[in-house]
Amino acid sequence: MQKTTLSASIALALLTGATAHAADDALLKRLEELERRMEQAERRAQQAETQAQQAEARARQAEAQARQAEAQARRDLTKTRQAEIEAKQAEIQAKQVEIQAQQTEMQAQQTEMQAQQAEVLAKEMADREAAMAKAAGGPEFSFKGYARAGFLTDDTGHNVDGVGPYMTPAGNLGGPIGRLGVEPDKYVEAVFDSKITHESGAYSKYRLMIADGVLTNNDWTADESNLNVRQVFAELGNLQSFAGSSIFQDSVLWAGKRFDRNNFDIHFFDSDIIFLAGTGAGIYDVKPTENWSTNVTLYARNFGTIEPTNEEVQSYILTANNYVGPWQFMLSGMWAADNSERLANAAENGFHLMLGHSLPNFYGYSEGFAKTGILYGRGLGAQVKVLGGQGDLTDDAQSVRIYSFGVTPLSNNWRIGPAFMAQYSQDYLYKGDEYSWVSLNVRLEQIITQNFLMAYEATYQYQDLDTGRNIPFPNDPTVKTKASGNFFKFTIAPTFNLDTSAGFFQRPALRGLISYLNWSDGLNGFNYGLPPNTDPQTGENTFALTGWTGNDRWLFGLQMETWF
């Protein structure tokens, strides 16, 4: 439209100026150039208009996006506020739980304080009663004890005989196996103490110990009972007569029938290292120097009677038991008049030595404890465990025994108690005999819960036994004079007790027992110079006193064990 108007104007001008300039070519060219430029300007204007429209579209799109972003931001803000509200609610709930926990803890502390107050009150009352009894010269009583009771059966459901820690042929020489899973007996000890304290601080103590052991599972056992008074003695301590003496001021005097105070054992074997007992007297805790303590005791025991006079053979054991730091040195002399008249070639005297070392840790490597030592005896002292307790040893009898044992935790849930014992003896029961045995036992316990654990015990024993030819039946072809071989035992014992974290010696223990036993065939029928034990039906030689033929057995059972 604009182009048409412009062209008409130019034509009119040309017509009008035709009289002045008829055909001015130069003007025409300029007009054409001007028209071309105007067309270019028009095109650029159209392009600009198009770009403006595009820019306006983009602006609208951006505005829409901005509105969407704003809406999204508002939604996100709403979610954030909701999350903050939920977080605050959770925080409030957590604080409420914390407050409740604090209140529960405060209640528990109050309960504990009340229990402690009650305990303190009870102790104060007990102390007052004890003080009143002391002032009145009355005794203070205490009660201690040990007991075990269980049953065992083989895989056929039959009762078992001759089973225990000393069930192998080496058991006659004191060679034990691990006790777990092989004790069917019912044994109980009850110890009653009465103590009177003088106003000077000196005291007297009287002890009575009774014990019984049976194999029957019945509740009424009077016909089989071995009820016995095993200890009855009195002690005197803190005596004013010894006051001011650095050597005797802590000494304790005693007399009567007793187990020596310083006996100790390897519990896993049920074997004493030293068992000194009988009727006698002694003095404990004499201190020649600050680091040296010694006990001196004299015990009497009986071996039997001389036939036909029925004269009782009495033996005596004089012992000096010394402690210097972690070391123990024990020297004992034995004498039994006319014992050779009771039994030909029997020893009438002897001596015994022991050197021991104790550690307050597990061989210096971890927490726990460990004990190691060596024992030697000759004549009556060749029975190196029960001092003076065996009267049928020859006058040339010799024995040497070594031992080592300890306990330690392996982790929070595992602990281990290894034990080792070995002995060599010669001219022991008969001139020319020779015996050796080695026992290794490992007890493992795995804590499952606070009141339940699994106990595992593995035992290996080797024995090489030779009675020689100086035996009661040298010409009996059935008598075995030699035997050697191995014995193995493995036991699993699920166990309940009050606190499984308290260590190996927490009692009471309520156990189930599963044991597998295996031994060399060559051990069957060996009976220390006597005719072998045999199966009454088949005539086959049996394993020690068990009545078992073959070379293995499974055992199953239950047991309770406690002490306090």
Side-chain angles (χ1 to χ4, degrees):
M1 182 67 182
Q2 292 178 353
K3 181 178 179 182
T4 303
T5 303
L6 181 60
S7 299
S9 298
I10 292 172
L12 181 60
L14 289 175
L15 291 175
T16 305
T19 58
H21 304 285
D24 194 347
D25 293 335
L27 179 59
L28 182 60
K29 289 181 180 179
R30 284 198 297 271
L31 290 172
E32 289 176 354
E33 179 65 21
L34 179 61
E35 184 178 1
R36 185 181 59 80
R37 290 180 180 177
M38 292 178 68
E39 289 175 352
Q40 291 177 349
E42 185 178 358
R43 285 195 298 272
R44 285 196 295 272
Q46 289 177 349
Q47 291 175 351
E49 183 179 1
T50 300
Q51 291 174 352
Q53 291 175 351
Q54 291 175 346
E56 183 179 0
R58 287 197 295 271
R60 291 174 181 172
Q61 186 177 3
E63 183 179 0
Q65 291 176 347
R67 290 175 180 172
Q68 290 176 352
E70 183 180 359
Q72 183 64 41
R74 290 176 180 173
R75 289 195 294 271
D76 292 342
L77 179 60
T78 301
K79 291 181 179 179
T80 301
R81 289 177 178 174
Q82 289 177 347
E84 289 178 354
I85 293 171
E86 291 175 355
K88 288 181 180 179
Q89 290 176 344
E91 183 178 357
I92 293 171
Q93 291 175 353
K95 288 181 179 179
Q96 290 174 344
V97 171
E98 182 179 358
I99 292 171
Q100 292 174 354
Q102 291 175 350
Q103 291 174 345
T104 302
E105 183 178 359
M106 291 176 62
Q107 291 174 353
Q109 289 175 350
Q110 291 174 351
T111 302
E112 183 179 359
M113 290 176 62
Q114 291 172 354
Q116 290 175 349
Q117 291 172 352
E119 183 179 355
V120 170
L121 181 61
K123 185 177 184 303
E124 289 176 352
M125 293 178 63
D127 290 344
R128 283 198 298 268
E129 291 177 0
M132 293 173 61
K134 177 178 177 180
E140 302 172 41
F141 291 101
S142 64
F143 171 58
K144 295 179 287 186
Y146 169 83
R148 63 176 178 266
F151 74 84
L152 289 176
T153 180
D154 62 16
D155 52 4
T156 65
H158 289 94
N159 186 40
V160 295
D161 294 316
V163 175
Y166 299 92
M167 63 184 290
T168 71
N172 280 19
L173 305 168
I177 63 172
R179 69 191 298 176
L180 189 65
V182 294
E183 290 181 314
D185 62 333
K186 275 58 69 174
Y187 176 75
V188 60
E189 296 175 352
V191 179
F192 303 90
D193 285 342
S194 175
K195 183 178 180 180
I196 298 176
T197 303
H198 189 264
E199 60 183 8
S200 65
Y203 71 87
S204 67
K205 185 175 79 172
Y206 165 72
R207 171 168 291 181
L208 171 66
M209 174 184 170
I210 57 176
D212 188 23
V214 296
L215 288 173
T216 178
N217 295 320
N218 295 335
D219 58 332
W220 188 259
T221 61
D223 292 340
E224 300 181 30
S225 174
N226 292 307
L227 186 65
N228 181 44
V229 176
R230 297 198 70 183
Q231 297 190 74
V232 53
F233 67 89
E235 287 183 352
L236 296 175
N238 292 338
L239 297 179
Q240 293 301 301
S241 299
F242 294 155
S245 170
S246 60
I247 297 177
F248 294 102
Q249 66 180 358
D250 297 324
S251 297
V252 177
L253 299 174
W254 69 269
K257 175 183 173 181
R258 72 174 298 168
F259 299 167
D260 193 78
R261 187 191 70 180
N262 291 61
N263 291 344
F264 67 102
D265 67 352
I266 300 179
H267 174 74
F268 308 120
F269 278 141
D270 193 20
S271 174
D272 291 279
I273 299 301
I274 290 292
F275 185 76
L276 179 59
T279 303
I283 182 170
Y284 292 136
D285 302 326
V286 178
K287 294 184 177 179
T289 68
E290 183 178 355
N291 297 320
W292 174 19
S293 176
T294 187
N295 309 321
V296 180
T297 59
L298 176 65
Y299 287 92
R301 296 181 67 92
N302 293 96
F303 287 152
T305 58
I306 301 173
E307 298 297 340
T309 63
N310 288 328
E311 180 183 351
E312 189 78 22
V313 174
Q314 190 158 281
S315 68
Y316 304 92
I317 309 102
L318 179 63
T319 298
N321 194 3
N322 302 275
Y323 296 86
V324 180
W327 294 94
Q328 179 184 4
F329 176 71
M330 189 173 184
L331 172 63
S332 301
M334 293 90 170
W335 174 56
D338 301 326
N339 191 41
S340 61
E341 296 184 24
R342 183 184 67 88
L343 185 65
N345 298 318
E348 294 189 348
N349 53 64
F351 66 91
H352 178 280
L353 302 169
M354 189 195 78
L355 178 64
H357 185 263
S358 299
L359 286 171
N361 50 57
F362 188 69
Y363 300 104
Y365 292 103
S366 59
E367 63 178 286
F369 72 85
K371 295 179 182 289
T372 302
I374 183 169
L375 304 94
Y376 173 78
R378 185 178 180 90
L380 292 176
Q383 167 50 278
V384 291
K385 180 176 78 170
V386 184
L387 272 62
Q390 189 169 351
D392 58 354
L393 305 178
T394 75
D395 51 6
D396 292 326
Q398 296 185 76
S399 293
V400 60
R401 176 181 290 189
I402 57 176
Y403 68 89
S404 187
F405 70 103
V407 299
T408 189
L410 296 176
S411 67
N412 291 335
N413 297 322
W414 286 89
R415 50 183 172 248
I416 188 171
F420 170 81
M421 191 182 292
Q423 179 173 312
Y424 172 79
S425 303
Q426 66 180 28
D427 300 319
Y428 192 77
L429 300 173
Y430 313 108
K431 298 284 187 178
D433 64 6
E434 192 172 9
Y435 311 108
S436 59
W437 55 263
V438 177
S439 293
L440 176 64
N441 190 77
V442 177
R443 176 84 66 90
L444 279 167
E445 288 187 348
Q446 177 189 12
I447 297 174
I448 308 299
T449 70
Q450 184 177 356
N451 305 113
F452 179 73
L453 61 84
M454 291 295 295
Y456 312 93
E457 186 172 84
T459 297
Y460 168 73
Q461 185 183 78
Y462 172 76
Q463 48 212 298
D464 187 5
L465 313 172
D466 184 356
T467 63
R469 299 304 303 173
N470 296 310
I471 57 178
F473 302 92
N475 299 318
D476 188 338
T478 65
V479 174
K480 295 184 69 170
T481 60
K482 294 182 179 181
S484 64
N486 304 308
F487 177 90
F488 301 92
K489 178 189 76 76
F490 181 72
T491 299
I492 299 176
T495 303
F496 287 93
N497 64 28
L498 286 178
D499 184 5
T500 55
S501 65
F504 273 113
F505 307 110
Q506 171 69 26
R507 299 295 184 272
L510 310 180
R511 308 180 177 115
L513 302 167
I514 303 174
S515 298
Y516 176 71
L517 287 62
N518 181 278
W519 60 90
S520 300
D521 290 329
L523 297 176
N524 290 351
F526 185 82
N527 200 21
Y528 289 92
L530 300 176
N533 296 306
T534 59
D535 186 294
Q537 295 181 349
T538 66
E540 295 180 77
N541 289 342
T542 59
F543 180 65
L545 300 177
T546 63
W548 296 339
T549 59
N551 64 355
D552 68 342
R553 277 295 187 280
W554 284 91
L555 298 178
F556 306 90
L558 300 170
Q559 187 190 49
M560 173 282 299
E561 184 182 38
T562 189
W563 58 66
F564 53 91

